[in-house]
Every structure is written in C-alpha cells, then in structure tokens.
Amino acid sequence: MITTLTLNAAIDQVYEVGSLMVGQTNRVSQKSQQGGGKGVNVARVIVALGGDVIIGGFVGGLNGSRITELLREENLQTEFIQIQEENRICLTVINQQKKEMTELLETGPTIYEYEWNKMLNWIEAQAEYASYFVLSGSLPKGIPKTAYAEIIHRLKQKGIRVALDTSGDALKHGIKAIPSIIKPNEDEMTQLIGKPVLAQKDLVQAGVKLQELGIEHVCFSLGEQGALFVNSLGVYKVNAPRINVVNTVGSGDAFLGGLIYKLSQGADPTEAYKWAVACGSANAENKEIAKVQKATVESLLAEIQITKIKEK
C-alpha cells in the first residue's frame, strides 16, 4: 500500500480562454474542476497505473466537502482529517492563442495544534500498512517548517520509504531527515545550494552530494529535456518523448507517481526512471491534471532511452 499526504489540499479549477487580456473582460470557453493538491495528483496517477493508494490530508468548509466529493466520484480512497478553516482553490488559466498557462494559487487554511496532533496520530496508524509514503506540496499556515522532517523521522523508524516533494524551508529541513526520494526542480536546487543552477554539471554535482547523504534516489525533472537521476550506482539521463504539450500543471506529480508506482512493484530503478518521465509527459498532453492513461504511458515508453552518464 502507498500513502500520499497532501497537507494543503485544494480544488483545482482550470479555465480556458481564447486569449487572456489583462485588465479586460475575459470569457471562459471551457472549464473543469477536480480535487487537487500535489499528493492527490500523485495518488491519481498511481491508481491509473493500477496501484493501491490511500490519500491523507486536511479538509474543511464547503471547499473541503467539495474536494472529498470530487475524489469520491473518481473512486479514490481518502482518509481526511477535518479542520475548522476552508480549503483553498487553485486556478489555472489556459490561454489557447499563446498556449500559455497562468496559475493563481490561494494560500490555504491555518491548521491548529490539535488538528496537527490528529494528523500525526493518523500517520502513526497509517504507518502500519504503508510501504511507501509520499509527502507533497506546501505546508499550510500553523504547521512548523520542520513538519516534513518530523514525519520522515517517524516513518523511517518503521522502515517505510518516504518520497519528499516540496520547496523552501520545508525542503531544507526535510532533506536533513534523509528521505528515500527527493524531486527538487531547478529553482528549488538554486535555493538549496545558494547559487544558480546554470548547467547539467551543476545538477549532477549537487545530486551526487545529496545522494551521498543517504538519499536513495535524487530526481531532477527537466521538462522537455527529460530528467536526471542519481542513485548509489551512478547518474542517469533520460530523454523526454516528443509530445504535443497542452497543460504542464501536475506533470511533476505525475512524474513522481510513475516513479513510486514502479519502485513499489519492485522494478529496477532504471525502469522506474523511464516510467517517471513517461507519466510526466503523458500528463502534459492532457488538459486535465494528472489524468493519465496507462496505455498512453506504455506507448511513450517506446520513445524513451536511459543513459548512464557518470559512475559512482
């Protein structure tokens, strides 16, 4: 069983407009809505591939009820902690003319101490069943910046592999707890190492240092350039297949979902890396977020190659 945790769950709403005119009236040609948050997206992809997932997180208010309802309609298994305040809405506006995406992300609710303690108790109970735990997304207000680090310590004591996908202080503290998997993007790596990531060699150098701390898989998703992976055996480059990009929102989550699914199935890491890139690419071909089809993923795999570019 895989558990994903989304502490700052949201309603993901997508608007499509012919062209986005700032300061003027824009008419929406199409819209869609789904329960969201990074951990929710990861879970959605794992289920699409055939895996078993439980989604944890906080829900409150009318938006929280809507999130639960939307996920129930998808037959996704959830075990949410109820909170006093309202969940957020994350809006993506797709400019059809320029093929550009604009995101408007609300901050989200404040979590109170007793609600956080309920969550920690739930995580302890869930740890009896999970083999992998995915910690994704931003931390809501009221939760300490060391929250992910605390969760990682607790889960590692029970022998559970933990994937961490976050940013800022939450990532910095989380890395110190040595999760099994991390997936920072280039901006997050710049924050971590304190200087711009200018070339592939910078990512490789930083990835090797992180892996030597004890992180099993250090993953860098590079969009149309594919991805880099670092493990105890070396550094691997995976190319991205050619696709018609429609909406890249959620592609990083799909990437992580494909990776965790294959690793949980006992696949060789190099095979899991290819699935990660295929799932991220499959997501980018869709308007909807993290709505990948396994058949599409498998067809993209034929175009993906992995190359070992550095020995450890």
Side-chain angles (χ1 to χ4, degrees):
M1 176 66 72
I2 301 166
T3 299
T4 71
L5 188 64
T6 306
L7 296 176
N8 208 359
I11 295 175
D12 282 339
Q13 193 146 303
V14 178
Y15 286 163
E16 292 186 57
V17 297
S19 62
L20 183 61
M21 298 174 288
V22 178
Q24 299 185 44
T25 299
N26 294 269
R27 299 199 179 277
V28 176
S29 58
Q30 294 187 58
K31 71 172 184 177
S32 62
Q33 188 182 74
Q34 64 185 44
K38 292 179 70 63
V40 172
N41 294 335
V42 171
R44 183 178 282 118
V45 170
I46 292 171
V47 169
L49 298 177
D52 294 322
V53 186
I54 291 177
I55 301 169
F58 293 115
V59 291
L62 292 176
N63 287 345
S65 297
R66 181 60 176 156
I67 290 169
T68 303
E69 178 186 359
L70 288 166
L71 297 181
R72 188 182 298 119
E73 289 174 0
E74 293 186 61
N75 294 317
L76 295 175
Q77 187 175 353
T78 63
E79 292 187 10
F80 288 128
I81 302 295
Q82 291 289 325
I83 57 174
Q84 289 187 43
E85 296 195 3
E86 187 95 11
N87 287 93
R88 60 190 180 139
I89 295 176
C90 293
L91 177 64
T92 300
V93 181
I94 299 177
N95 182 335
Q96 296 170 328
Q97 184 181 67
K98 294 186 177 181
K99 295 186 177 180
E100 292 177 341
M101 287 156 290
T102 301
E103 291 186 271
L104 301 173
L105 310 180
E106 295 182 3
T107 304
T110 296
I111 305 301
Y112 298 99
E113 185 176 2
Y114 77 94
E115 295 168 337
W116 176 233
N117 288 332
K118 282 185 179 180
M119 176 58 71
L120 291 176
N121 290 335
W122 179 83
I123 290 169
E124 289 283 346
Q126 191 62 31
E128 301 300 320
Y129 308 99
S131 57
Y132 277 85
F133 227 100
V134 182
L135 310 178
S136 295
S138 60
L139 295 174
K141 293 174 290 185
I143 290 181
K145 296 176 181 179
T146 56
Y148 282 143
E150 180 180 358
I151 294 170
I152 292 166
H153 281 305
R154 291 184 181 219
L155 293 173
K156 283 175 61 180
Q157 289 175 356
K158 297 180 180 294
I160 297 171
R161 286 184 166 88
V162 184
L164 177 65
D165 183 15
T166 187
S167 60
D169 288 335
L171 177 61
K172 290 179 181 179
H173 289 295
I175 283 175
K176 292 176 183 178
I178 316 297
S180 299
I181 300 164
I182 59 171
K183 194 196 71 60
N185 60 31
E186 291 185 53
D187 289 340
E188 290 158 359
M189 281 307 305
T190 296
Q191 294 174 22
L192 279 176
I193 65 178
K195 63 179 182 179
V197 177
L198 302 175
Q200 178 176 293
K201 66 179 182 179
D202 297 321
L203 283 178
V204 170
Q205 185 179 46
V208 169
K209 288 182 179 180
L210 288 166
Q211 195 282 318
E212 288 175 346
L213 294 175
I215 299 170
E216 291 181 60
H217 306 280
V218 180
C219 315
F220 302 113
S221 177
L222 306 176
E224 63 182 15
Q225 297 179 43
L228 282 173
F229 298 87
V230 185
N231 64 28
S232 61
L233 299 178
V235 181
Y236 300 84
K237 178 69 183 292
V238 181
N239 71 295
R242 293 182 180 180
I243 60 169
N244 177 33
V245 176
V246 177
N247 183 5
T248 59
V249 175
S251 288
D253 304 327
F255 176 102
L256 188 55
L259 177 70
I260 297 296
Y261 170 72
K262 291 305 289 185
L263 289 176
S264 71
Q265 297 289 307
D268 185 88
T270 56
E271 182 69 11
Y273 298 162
K274 291 169 66 176
W275 275 73
V277 172
C279 286
S281 299
N283 178 82
E285 288 187 310
N286 268 318
K287 286 188 296 186
E288 294 181 296
I289 299 168
K291 294 286 186 74
V292 307
Q293 301 294 324
K294 189 173 184 179
T296 302
V297 173
E298 290 173 335
S299 68
L300 291 172
L301 286 169
E303 302 179 43
I304 295 175
Q305 295 181 339
I306 185 167
T307 306
K308 194 173 190 178
I309 62 173
K310 181 179 175 63
E311 298 282 348
K312 283 298 296 291

